[in-house]
Amino acid sequence: MRSAGRLISRGICTRCTCTGQRRAFASAPLNKLHHSKLTFSQLTRTGTAPHALARPWRQYTSAASVDQTTAGFKATIGLELHVQLLAAQKLFSAASAKWNEPPNTNVNVADAGFPGALPQLNPECVQLAARAILALNGQIQQRSAFDRKHYFYADQPLGYQITQQHHPIGRGGYVDLGSLDGLEYVKRIGIHQLQLEQDTAKSIHGVYPGHVLVDLNRAGVALIEIVSKPDVDTADEAVMYVRKMQNLLRHIGVSNCNMEEGSLRCDVNVSVYRDGEDRLSGTRCELKNLNSLKVIRGAVNAEISRQIAVVQRGENVEQETRGYDAQSDTTFVTRTKEAAPDYRYMPEPD
């Protein structure tokens, strides 16, 4: 596993004025950051974060977001971040976690779903997940357990995903956004839970017409899923939350969080409600696999506009999963939202 120092070696503190020059923070230990002696619980507090985590992003104005107030509507937004851990081996096997090597070279019988192959938990993954929940001001649970989430797809060789739906490794916590993040007010976004789970294999389209190739290098690579509470109100807040998560998780050596290579993937749940109503009264739609900050902002704003238009026409918003077309700046249906019982969760017996 690469050290936190190597992970953040490309970062530069541009706000330091004490020396009159740009100051690298690459090799600073966590408790000896420039001008800082911080605990994990302080890393995300507004105004106290070290320069490494408090890059002065530009301010956003309401013009960048959907004008929900004048329309008499507001949005409720929750985010699910799927973060690939910087562990040397996969979550339940001894195979290398280097997924971007020649196809199907880093895979063993457990990853491929061979009958009789039993999973063996990688303790390094547990340590990284625990580090993440502490950095988010949450609590490591005294008891955590794994569940099977059943669904059938070509990139899921087991026929199920091993996850932690009911007994995650971490619960609670929060992230604070403020002026150092580009927000003109202070906003606290709560964390519902943090769970360990397996990644899927990679499906490759377009090489042979009419065929899909599957690369199992990524199958079984360790992820943490960080589920926020529905505390986000705008697309800009969502983007700032993801950006702050990137900085934090990189800094503590949990993940490189490179969205362009899939190390950080984002799903966003969006609903709208009329001003004065319960903020959870709207019907939620999920936007899947948003792979950049620009796409997150565009998708959330487009979905808010769509749902407001549906309600204004006197129709009901249907609960469903949707994708985002950046070219047309619209969202589209991918499938009707599956209810949790459809996954047939059961305790992992192995």
Coordinates of all heavy atoms in Angstrom, one line a residue, residues 192-284:
H192 N -24.4 8.4 7.1 CA -25.3 7.4 7.6 C -24.5 6.1 8.0 O -24.6 5.6 9.1 CB -26.4 7.0 6.5 CG -27.2 5.8 6.9 ND1 -28.0 5.8 8.0 CD2 -27.4 4.6 6.3 CE1 -28.6 4.6 8.1 NE2 -28.2 3.9 7.1
Q193 N -23.7 5.6 7.0 CA -22.9 4.4 7.3 C -21.8 4.3 6.3 O -21.8 4.9 5.2 CB -23.7 3.1 7.4 CG -24.3 2.7 6.0 CD -25.1 1.4 6.2 OE1 -25.9 1.3 7.1 NE2 -24.9 0.4 5.3
L194 N -20.8 3.5 6.7 CA -19.7 3.2 5.8 C -19.5 1.7 5.9 O -19.4 1.1 6.9 CB -18.4 3.9 6.3 CG -17.1 3.7 5.5 CD1 -16.2 4.9 5.6 CD2 -16.3 2.4 5.9
Q195 N -19.5 1.0 4.7 CA -19.5 -0.4 4.6 C -18.4 -0.9 3.7 O -18.1 -0.3 2.7 CB -20.9 -1.0 4.2 CG -21.3 -0.5 2.9 CD -22.8 -0.7 2.7 OE1 -23.6 -0.2 3.5 NE2 -23.2 -1.3 1.5
L196 N -17.9 -2.1 4.0 CA -17.0 -2.8 3.1 C -17.8 -3.6 2.1 O -18.8 -4.2 2.4 CB -16.0 -3.7 3.9 CG -14.8 -3.1 4.5 CD1 -14.2 -4.0 5.6 CD2 -13.7 -2.8 3.4
E197 N -17.2 -3.7 0.8 CA -17.9 -4.6 -0.1 C -16.9 -4.9 -1.3 O -15.9 -4.2 -1.4 CB -19.2 -3.9 -0.7 CG -19.0 -2.6 -1.4 CD -20.3 -1.9 -1.8 OE1 -21.3 -2.2 -1.1 OE2 -20.3 -1.1 -2.7
Q198 N -17.3 -5.8 -2.1 CA -16.6 -6.2 -3.3 C -16.9 -5.4 -4.5 O -18.0 -5.0 -4.7 CB -16.8 -7.7 -3.7 CG -16.4 -8.7 -2.7 CD -16.9 -10.1 -3.1 OE1 -18.1 -10.3 -3.4 NE2 -16.0 -11.0 -3.2
D199 N -15.9 -5.1 -5.3 CA -16.1 -4.5 -6.6 C -16.5 -5.6 -7.6 O -16.3 -6.8 -7.4 CB -14.9 -3.8 -7.1 CG -15.2 -2.6 -8.1 OD1 -16.3 -2.6 -8.5 OD2 -14.3 -1.8 -8.3
T200 N -17.1 -5.2 -8.7 CA -17.4 -6.2 -9.8 C -16.3 -6.3 -10.8 O -15.3 -5.6 -10.8 CB -18.7 -5.7 -10.5 OG1 -18.4 -4.4 -11.2 CG2 -19.8 -5.5 -9.6
A201 N -16.4 -7.2 -11.7 CA -15.5 -7.3 -12.9 C -15.8 -6.2 -13.8 O -16.7 -5.4 -13.6 CB -15.6 -8.7 -13.6
K202 N -15.0 -6.1 -14.9 CA -15.1 -5.0 -15.8 C -15.7 -5.5 -17.1 O -15.1 -6.5 -17.7 CB -13.8 -4.3 -16.1 CG -13.8 -3.1 -17.0 CD -12.4 -2.5 -17.2 CE -12.5 -1.3 -18.2 NZ -11.1 -0.7 -18.4
S203 N -16.8 -5.0 -17.6 CA -17.3 -5.4 -18.9 C -16.8 -4.5 -20.0 O -16.7 -3.3 -19.8 CB -18.9 -5.2 -18.9 OG -19.4 -6.1 -17.9
I204 N -16.3 -5.1 -21.1 CA -15.7 -4.4 -22.2 C -16.6 -4.5 -23.4 O -16.8 -5.7 -23.9 CB -14.3 -4.9 -22.5 CG1 -13.4 -4.8 -21.2 CG2 -13.6 -4.1 -23.6 CD1 -12.1 -5.5 -21.3
H205 N -17.1 -3.4 -23.9 CA -18.0 -3.5 -25.1 C -17.3 -3.0 -26.3 O -16.4 -2.2 -26.3 CB -19.2 -2.6 -24.8 CG -20.0 -3.0 -23.6 ND1 -21.1 -3.8 -23.6 CD2 -19.8 -2.7 -22.3 CE1 -21.6 -4.0 -22.4 NE2 -20.8 -3.3 -21.6
G206 N -17.8 -3.4 -27.5 CA -17.3 -2.9 -28.8 C -16.1 -3.5 -29.4 O -15.7 -3.1 -30.5
V207 N -15.5 -4.5 -28.7 CA -14.3 -5.1 -29.3 C -14.8 -6.1 -30.4 O -14.3 -6.1 -31.6 CB -13.5 -5.8 -28.3 CG1 -12.3 -6.6 -28.9 CG2 -13.0 -4.9 -27.2
Y208 N -15.7 -6.9 -30.1 CA -16.3 -7.9 -31.1 C -17.8 -7.6 -31.1 O -18.5 -7.6 -30.1 CB -16.1 -9.3 -30.6 CG -14.6 -9.7 -30.6 CD1 -14.0 -9.9 -29.3 CD2 -13.9 -10.0 -31.7 CE1 -12.7 -10.2 -29.3 CE2 -12.6 -10.3 -31.7 CZ -12.0 -10.5 -30.4 OH -10.6 -10.8 -30.4
P209 N -18.3 -7.2 -32.3 CA -19.7 -6.8 -32.4 C -20.6 -8.0 -31.9 O -20.4 -9.1 -32.2 CB -19.9 -6.6 -33.9 CG -18.6 -6.3 -34.4 CD -17.6 -7.0 -33.6
G210 N -21.6 -7.6 -31.0 CA -22.5 -8.5 -30.5 C -22.0 -9.3 -29.3 O -22.7 -10.2 -28.8
H211 N -20.8 -9.0 -28.9 CA -20.2 -9.7 -27.7 C -19.7 -8.7 -26.7 O -19.3 -7.6 -27.0 CB -19.0 -10.6 -28.2 CG -19.4 -11.7 -29.1 ND1 -19.7 -11.6 -30.4 CD2 -19.6 -13.1 -28.8 CE1 -20.0 -12.7 -31.0 NE2 -20.0 -13.7 -30.0
V212 N -19.7 -9.2 -25.4 CA -19.2 -8.4 -24.3 C -18.1 -9.2 -23.7 O -18.3 -10.4 -23.3 CB -20.3 -8.1 -23.3 CG1 -19.7 -7.3 -22.1 CG2 -21.4 -7.3 -23.9
L213 N -16.9 -8.6 -23.5 CA -15.8 -9.2 -22.9 C -15.8 -8.9 -21.4 O -16.2 -7.8 -21.0 CB -14.5 -8.8 -23.5 CG -14.4 -9.0 -25.1 CD1 -13.0 -8.5 -25.6 CD2 -14.6 -10.5 -25.4
V214 N -15.3 -9.8 -20.6 CA -15.2 -9.6 -19.1 C -13.8 -9.8 -18.6 O -13.2 -10.8 -18.9 CB -16.2 -10.6 -18.4 CG1 -16.1 -10.4 -16.9 CG2 -17.6 -10.4 -18.9
D215 N -13.3 -8.7 -17.9 CA -12.0 -8.8 -17.3 C -12.2 -8.9 -15.8 O -12.8 -8.0 -15.2 CB -11.3 -7.5 -17.6 CG -9.9 -7.4 -17.0 OD1 -9.4 -8.4 -16.4 OD2 -9.3 -6.3 -17.1
L216 N -11.7 -10.0 -15.2 CA -12.0 -10.3 -13.8 C -10.9 -9.7 -12.9 O -10.9 -10.0 -11.7 CB -12.0 -11.8 -13.6 CG -13.2 -12.6 -14.3 CD1 -13.1 -14.1 -14.0 CD2 -14.5 -12.1 -13.7
N217 N -10.0 -8.9 -13.4 CA -9.0 -8.3 -12.6 C -9.6 -7.5 -11.4 O -9.1 -7.5 -10.3 CB -8.0 -7.4 -13.4 CG -7.0 -8.2 -14.1 OD1 -6.8 -9.4 -13.9 ND2 -6.2 -7.6 -15.0
R218 N -10.7 -6.8 -11.8 CA -11.3 -5.9 -10.8 C -12.3 -6.7 -9.9 O -12.7 -6.1 -8.8 CB -12.0 -4.8 -11.5 CG -12.2 -3.5 -10.6 CD -12.8 -2.4 -11.4 NE -14.2 -2.7 -11.8 CZ -15.0 -1.9 -12.6 NH1 -14.5 -0.8 -13.0 NH2 -16.2 -2.3 -12.9
A219 N -12.7 -7.9 -10.2 CA -13.6 -8.6 -9.4 C -13.1 -8.9 -8.1 O -12.0 -9.5 -7.9 CB -14.0 -9.9 -10.1
G220 N -13.7 -8.5 -7.0 CA -13.3 -8.8 -5.7 C -12.4 -7.7 -5.1 O -12.0 -7.8 -3.9
V221 N -12.0 -6.7 -5.8 CA -11.2 -5.6 -5.3 C -12.0 -4.9 -4.2 O -13.2 -4.8 -4.3 CB -10.8 -4.6 -6.4 CG1 -10.2 -3.3 -5.8 CG2 -9.8 -5.2 -7.3
A222 N -11.4 -4.5 -3.1 CA -12.1 -4.0 -1.9 C -12.6 -2.5 -2.2 O -11.8 -1.7 -2.7 CB -11.1 -4.0 -0.7
L223 N -13.8 -2.3 -1.8 CA -14.4 -1.0 -1.8 C -14.9 -0.6 -0.5 O -15.2 -1.5 0.3 CB -15.6 -0.9 -2.8 CG -15.4 -1.3 -4.3 CD1 -16.8 -1.2 -5.0 CD2 -14.5 -0.3 -4.9
I224 N -15.0 0.7 -0.2 CA -15.9 1.1 0.9 C -17.0 1.9 0.2 O -16.7 2.7 -0.7 CB -15.2 1.9 2.0 CG1 -14.4 3.1 1.4 CG2 -14.3 1.1 2.8 CD1 -13.8 4.1 2.4
E225 N -18.2 1.7 0.7 CA -19.3 2.6 0.3 C -19.7 3.5 1.4 O -20.0 3.1 2.5 CB -20.5 1.7 -0.1 CG -21.7 2.6 -0.6 CD -22.9 1.7 -1.0 OE1 -22.8 0.5 -1.1 OE2 -24.0 2.3 -1.3
I226 N -19.6 4.8 1.1 CA -19.9 5.8 2.1 C -21.3 6.4 1.8 O -21.4 7.1 0.7 CB -18.8 6.9 2.1 CG1 -17.5 6.3 2.4 CG2 -19.2 8.0 3.2 CD1 -16.3 7.3 2.2
V227 N -22.2 6.2 2.6 CA -23.6 6.6 2.4 C -23.9 7.9 3.2 O -23.8 7.8 4.4 CB -24.6 5.5 2.7 CG1 -26.1 6.0 2.4 CG2 -24.3 4.2 1.9
S228 N -24.2 9.0 2.6 CA -24.5 10.2 3.3 C -26.0 10.2 3.7 O -26.8 9.5 3.2 CB -24.2 11.4 2.4 OG -25.3 11.7 1.6
K229 N -26.3 11.1 4.7 CA -27.7 11.3 5.0 C -28.2 12.3 3.9 O -27.4 13.0 3.3 CB -27.8 12.0 6.4 CG -27.4 11.0 7.5 CD -27.5 11.6 8.9 CE -27.2 10.6 10.0 NZ -27.3 11.1 11.3
P230 N -29.5 12.4 3.8 CA -30.1 13.3 2.7 C -30.0 14.8 3.2 O -31.1 15.4 3.2 CB -31.5 12.8 2.6 CG -31.8 12.2 3.9 CD -30.6 11.6 4.4
D231 N -28.8 15.3 3.4 CA -28.7 16.6 4.0 C -28.3 17.6 2.9 O -28.2 18.8 3.2 CB -27.6 16.6 5.1 CG -28.0 15.8 6.3 OD1 -29.2 15.6 6.5 OD2 -27.1 15.4 7.0
V232 N -28.0 17.2 1.7 CA -27.6 18.1 0.6 C -28.8 18.7 -0.1 O -29.8 18.1 -0.3 CB -26.7 17.3 -0.4 CG1 -26.2 18.2 -1.5 CG2 -25.5 16.6 0.4
D233 N -28.6 20.0 -0.3 CA -29.7 20.8 -0.9 C -29.5 21.1 -2.4 O -30.5 21.4 -3.1 CB -30.0 22.1 -0.1 CG -30.4 21.8 1.3 OD1 -31.2 20.8 1.5 OD2 -30.0 22.5 2.2
T234 N -28.3 21.3 -2.8 CA -28.0 21.8 -4.2 C -26.9 20.9 -4.9 O -26.2 20.2 -4.2 CB -27.6 23.2 -4.2 OG1 -26.3 23.3 -3.6 CG2 -28.6 24.1 -3.4
A235 N -26.8 21.1 -6.2 CA -25.8 20.4 -6.9 C -24.4 20.9 -6.5 O -23.4 20.1 -6.4 CB -26.0 20.6 -8.4
D236 N -24.3 22.2 -6.2 CA -23.0 22.7 -5.8 C -22.5 22.1 -4.5 O -21.3 21.8 -4.3 CB -23.1 24.3 -5.7 CG -23.1 24.9 -7.0 OD1 -22.8 24.3 -8.0 OD2 -23.6 26.1 -7.1
E237 N -23.4 22.0 -3.5 CA -23.1 21.3 -2.3 C -22.7 19.9 -2.5 O -21.7 19.4 -1.9 CB -24.3 21.3 -1.3 CG -24.6 22.7 -0.7 CD -25.8 22.7 0.2 OE1 -26.3 21.6 0.5 OE2 -26.2 23.8 0.7
A238 N -23.3 19.2 -3.4 CA -23.0 17.8 -3.7 C -21.5 17.7 -4.3 O -20.7 16.9 -3.9 CB -23.9 17.2 -4.7
V239 N -21.2 18.6 -5.2 CA -19.9 18.6 -5.8 C -18.8 18.9 -4.7 O -17.7 18.3 -4.7 CB -19.8 19.7 -6.9 CG1 -18.4 19.9 -7.4 CG2 -20.6 19.2 -8.1
M240 N -19.1 19.9 -3.8 CA -18.1 20.3 -2.8 C -17.9 19.1 -1.8 O -16.8 18.9 -1.3 CB -18.6 21.5 -2.1 CG -18.5 22.8 -2.9 SD -19.3 24.2 -2.1 CE -19.5 25.3 -3.5
Y241 N -19.0 18.4 -1.5 CA -18.9 17.2 -0.6 C -18.0 16.2 -1.2 O -17.1 15.6 -0.5 CB -20.3 16.7 -0.4 CG -20.4 15.3 0.3 CD1 -20.3 15.2 1.7 CD2 -20.6 14.2 -0.5 CE1 -20.4 14.0 2.3 CE2 -20.7 12.9 0.1 CZ -20.6 12.8 1.5 OH -20.6 11.6 2.1
V242 N -18.2 15.8 -2.5 CA -17.4 14.8 -3.2 C -15.9 15.3 -3.2 O -15.0 14.5 -3.0 CB -17.9 14.5 -4.6 CG1 -17.0 13.5 -5.3 CG2 -19.3 13.9 -4.5
R243 N -15.7 16.5 -3.5 CA -14.4 17.0 -3.6 C -13.7 17.0 -2.3 O -12.5 16.6 -2.2 CB -14.4 18.5 -4.1 CG -13.0 19.1 -4.3 CD -13.1 20.5 -4.7 NE -13.5 20.7 -6.0 CZ -14.3 21.6 -6.5 NH1 -14.9 22.4 -5.6 NH2 -14.6 21.6 -7.8
K244 N -14.4 17.3 -1.2 CA -13.8 17.2 0.1 C -13.5 15.8 0.5 O -12.4 15.5 1.1 CB -14.7 17.9 1.2 CG -14.0 18.1 2.5 CD -14.6 19.3 3.2 CE -13.7 19.7 4.4 NZ -14.2 20.9 5.1
M245 N -14.4 14.9 0.2 CA -14.1 13.5 0.4 C -12.9 13.0 -0.3 O -12.0 12.2 0.2 CB -15.3 12.6 0.0 CG -16.5 12.6 1.0 SD -16.0 11.7 2.4 CE -17.6 11.5 3.2
Q246 N -12.7 13.4 -1.6 CA -11.5 13.1 -2.3 C -10.2 13.5 -1.6 O -9.3 12.7 -1.4 CB -11.5 13.8 -3.7 CG -12.3 13.1 -4.8 CD -12.2 13.8 -6.1 OE1 -12.4 15.0 -6.2 NE2 -11.8 13.1 -7.1
N247 N -10.2 14.8 -1.2 CA -9.0 15.3 -0.5 C -8.7 14.6 0.8 O -7.6 14.2 1.1 CB -9.2 16.8 -0.2 CG -9.2 17.6 -1.5 OD1 -8.7 17.2 -2.5 ND2 -9.8 18.8 -1.4
L248 N -9.8 14.3 1.6 CA -9.6 13.6 2.8 C -9.1 12.2 2.7 O -8.1 11.8 3.3 CB -10.9 13.6 3.6 CG -10.9 12.9 4.9 CD1 -10.0 13.5 5.9 CD2 -12.3 12.9 5.5
L249 N -9.7 11.4 1.8 CA -9.4 10.0 1.7 C -8.0 9.9 1.0 O -7.3 8.9 1.3 CB -10.5 9.3 0.9 CG -11.8 9.2 1.5 CD1 -12.9 8.7 0.6 CD2 -11.8 8.5 2.8
R250 N -7.6 10.8 0.1 CA -6.3 10.7 -0.4 C -5.3 11.0 0.7 O -4.2 10.4 0.8 CB -6.1 11.8 -1.5 CG -6.8 11.4 -2.8 CD -6.8 12.5 -3.8 NE -7.4 12.2 -5.1 CZ -7.8 13.0 -6.0 NH1 -7.7 14.3 -5.8 NH2 -8.2 12.6 -7.2
H251 N -5.6 12.0 1.5 CA -4.6 12.5 2.5 C -4.3 11.4 3.5 O -3.2 11.3 4.0 CB -5.2 13.8 3.2 CG -4.3 14.3 4.2 ND1 -3.1 14.9 3.9 CD2 -4.4 14.3 5.6 CE1 -2.5 15.3 5.0 NE2 -3.2 15.0 6.1
I252 N -5.3 10.7 3.9 CA -5.1 9.6 5.0 C -4.7 8.3 4.4 O -4.5 7.3 5.1 CB -6.3 9.5 5.8 CG1 -7.5 9.0 5.0 CG2 -6.7 10.8 6.6 CD1 -8.8 8.6 5.9
G253 N -4.5 8.2 3.1 CA -3.9 7.0 2.4 C -4.9 5.9 2.3 O -4.5 4.8 2.1
V254 N -6.2 6.2 2.2 CA -7.2 5.2 2.0 C -7.4 4.8 0.6 O -7.7 3.7 0.2 CB -8.5 5.6 2.7 CG1 -9.7 4.7 2.3 CG2 -8.4 5.6 4.2
S255 N -7.4 5.8 -0.3 CA -7.7 5.6 -1.7 C -7.0 6.8 -2.5 O -6.8 7.9 -2.0 CB -9.2 5.6 -2.0 OG -9.5 5.6 -3.4
N256 N -6.8 6.5 -3.8 CA -6.3 7.7 -4.6 C -7.5 8.5 -5.2 O -7.3 9.6 -5.7 CB -5.4 7.2 -5.8 CG -6.1 6.2 -6.7 OD1 -7.3 6.3 -6.9 ND2 -5.3 5.3 -7.3
C257 N -8.7 7.9 -5.1 CA -9.9 8.6 -5.5 C -9.9 9.3 -6.9 O -10.5 10.3 -7.1 CB -10.2 9.7 -4.4 SG -10.8 9.1 -2.8
N258 N -9.3 8.6 -7.8 CA -9.3 9.1 -9.2 C -10.5 8.7 -9.9 O -10.7 7.6 -10.3 CB -8.0 8.6 -9.9 CG -6.7 9.1 -9.4 OD1 -6.7 10.2 -8.8 ND2 -5.7 8.4 -9.5
M259 N -11.4 9.7 -10.1 CA -12.7 9.4 -10.7 C -12.5 9.0 -12.2 O -13.3 8.2 -12.7 CB -13.6 10.6 -10.7 CG -13.9 11.1 -9.2 SD -15.2 12.3 -9.1 CE -16.7 11.4 -9.4
E260 N -11.5 9.5 -12.9 CA -11.3 9.1 -14.3 C -11.0 7.7 -14.5 O -11.2 7.1 -15.6 CB -10.2 10.0 -14.9 CG -8.8 9.9 -14.3 CD -8.6 10.7 -13.1 OE1 -9.5 11.3 -12.6 OE2 -7.4 10.9 -12.7
E261 N -10.4 7.0 -13.5 CA -10.1 5.6 -13.6 C -11.0 4.7 -12.8 O -10.8 3.5 -12.7 CB -8.6 5.3 -13.2 CG -8.3 5.6 -11.7 CD -6.9 5.3 -11.4 OE1 -6.0 5.5 -12.3 OE2 -6.6 4.8 -10.3
G262 N -12.0 5.3 -12.2 CA -13.1 4.5 -11.5 C -12.7 4.2 -10.0 O -13.5 3.4 -9.4
S263 N -11.7 4.8 -9.5 CA -11.4 4.6 -8.1 C -12.4 5.2 -7.1 O -12.5 4.9 -6.0 CB -10.0 5.1 -7.8 OG -9.0 4.4 -8.5
L264 N -13.1 6.2 -7.7 CA -14.2 6.8 -6.9 C -15.4 7.0 -7.9 O -15.3 7.6 -8.9 CB -13.8 8.2 -6.4 CG -14.9 9.1 -5.8 CD1 -15.5 8.4 -4.6 CD2 -14.4 10.5 -5.4
R265 N -16.5 6.3 -7.5 CA -17.7 6.4 -8.3 C -18.8 6.9 -7.4 O -18.9 6.6 -6.2 CB -18.1 5.0 -8.9 CG -17.2 4.6 -10.1 CD -17.2 3.1 -10.3 NE -16.3 2.4 -9.4 CZ -16.3 1.1 -9.3 NH1 -17.1 0.3 -10.0 NH2 -15.4 0.5 -8.5
C266 N -19.7 7.7 -8.0 CA -20.7 8.4 -7.3 C -22.1 8.0 -7.8 O -22.4 8.1 -9.0 CB -20.5 9.9 -7.3 SG -21.6 10.9 -6.3
D267 N -23.0 7.7 -6.9 CA -24.5 7.6 -7.2 C -25.2 8.6 -6.3 O -24.8 8.9 -5.2 CB -25.0 6.2 -6.8 CG -24.3 5.1 -7.5 OD1 -23.8 5.3 -8.6 OD2 -24.4 3.9 -7.0
V268 N -26.1 9.3 -6.9 CA -26.8 10.4 -6.2 C -28.3 10.1 -6.2 O -28.9 9.8 -7.3 CB -26.5 11.8 -6.9 CG1 -27.2 12.9 -6.1 CG2 -25.0 12.0 -7.0
N269 N -28.9 10.3 -5.1 CA -30.4 10.2 -4.9 C -31.0 11.6 -4.9 O -30.6 12.4 -4.0 CB -30.8 9.4 -3.7 CG -30.4 7.9 -3.8 OD1 -30.9 7.1 -4.6 ND2 -29.3 7.5 -3.0
V270 N -32.0 11.8 -5.7 CA -32.5 13.2 -5.8 C -34.1 13.1 -5.7 O -34.7 12.2 -6.3 CB -32.2 13.8 -7.2 CG1 -32.8 15.2 -7.3 CG2 -30.6 13.9 -7.3
S271 N -34.6 14.0 -4.9 CA -36.1 14.2 -4.9 C -36.4 15.6 -4.7 O -35.5 16.4 -4.3 CB -36.7 13.3 -3.8 OG -36.3 13.8 -2.5
V272 N -37.6 16.1 -5.1 CA -38.0 17.5 -4.9 C -39.2 17.5 -4.0 O -40.0 16.5 -4.0 CB -38.2 18.2 -6.2 CG1 -36.9 18.2 -7.1 CG2 -39.3 17.6 -7.0
Y273 N -39.4 18.6 -3.4 CA -40.6 18.8 -2.6 C -41.0 20.3 -2.6 O -40.1 21.2 -2.9 CB -40.4 18.4 -1.1 CG -39.3 19.1 -0.4 CD1 -39.6 20.2 0.5 CD2 -37.9 18.9 -0.6 CE1 -38.6 20.9 1.2 CE2 -37.0 19.5 0.1 CZ -37.3 20.6 1.0 OH -36.3 21.3 1.6
R274 N -42.2 20.6 -2.4 CA -42.7 22.0 -2.4 C -42.2 22.7 -1.1 O -42.1 22.1 0.0 CB -44.2 22.1 -2.5 CG -44.8 21.6 -3.8 CD -46.2 21.8 -3.9 NE -46.8 21.3 -5.1 CZ -46.8 22.0 -6.3 NH1 -46.3 23.2 -6.4 NH2 -47.3 21.4 -7.4
D275 N -41.9 23.9 -1.2 CA -41.4 24.7 -0.1 C -42.5 24.7 1.0 O -43.6 24.9 0.8 CB -41.2 26.2 -0.5 CG -40.3 26.9 0.5 OD1 -39.8 26.3 1.4 OD2 -40.2 28.2 0.3
G276 N -42.0 24.3 2.2 CA -42.9 24.2 3.4 C -43.3 22.8 3.7 O -43.9 22.5 4.8
E277 N -43.1 21.8 2.8 CA -43.4 20.4 3.0 C -42.2 19.7 3.7 O -41.1 20.3 3.7 CB -43.8 19.7 1.7 CG -45.1 20.3 1.1 CD -45.5 19.5 -0.2 OE1 -44.6 18.8 -0.7 OE2 -46.6 19.7 -0.7
D278 N -42.4 18.5 4.1 CA -41.4 17.7 4.6 C -40.3 17.4 3.5 O -40.7 17.0 2.4 CB -42.0 16.3 5.1 CG -40.9 15.4 5.7 OD1 -39.7 15.8 5.9 OD2 -41.3 14.3 6.0
R279 N -39.0 17.6 3.9 CA -38.0 17.5 2.9 C -37.9 16.0 2.4 O -37.2 15.8 1.3 CB -36.7 18.0 3.4 CG -36.1 17.2 4.5 CD -34.7 17.8 4.9 NE -33.6 17.5 4.0 CZ -33.0 18.3 3.2 NH1 -33.4 19.6 3.1 NH2 -32.1 17.9 2.4
L280 N -38.4 15.1 3.1 CA -38.4 13.7 2.6 C -39.7 13.2 2.0 O -39.9 12.0 1.8 CB -38.0 12.7 3.8 CG -36.7 13.0 4.5 CD1 -36.5 12.0 5.7 CD2 -35.5 12.9 3.5
S281 N -40.5 14.2 1.6 CA -41.8 13.8 1.1 C -41.8 13.5 -0.4 O -42.7 12.9 -0.9 CB -42.8 14.9 1.3 OG -42.4 16.1 0.7
G282 N -40.7 13.8 -1.1 CA -40.7 13.6 -2.5 C -40.3 12.2 -2.9 O -39.8 11.4 -2.0
T283 N -40.5 11.8 -4.1 CA -40.1 10.4 -4.6 C -38.7 10.5 -5.1 O -38.4 11.3 -6.0 CB -41.1 10.0 -5.8 OG1 -42.4 10.0 -5.3 CG2 -40.7 8.6 -6.2
R284 N -37.9 9.6 -4.6 CA -36.5 9.6 -4.9 C -36.1 8.9 -6.2 O -36.7 7.8 -6.5 CB -35.7 8.9 -3.8 CG -34.2 8.8 -3.9 CD -33.7 8.1 -2.7 NE -34.1 6.7 -2.6 CZ -34.0 5.9 -1.6 NH1 -33.4 6.3 -0.5 NH2 -34.4 4.7 -1.7

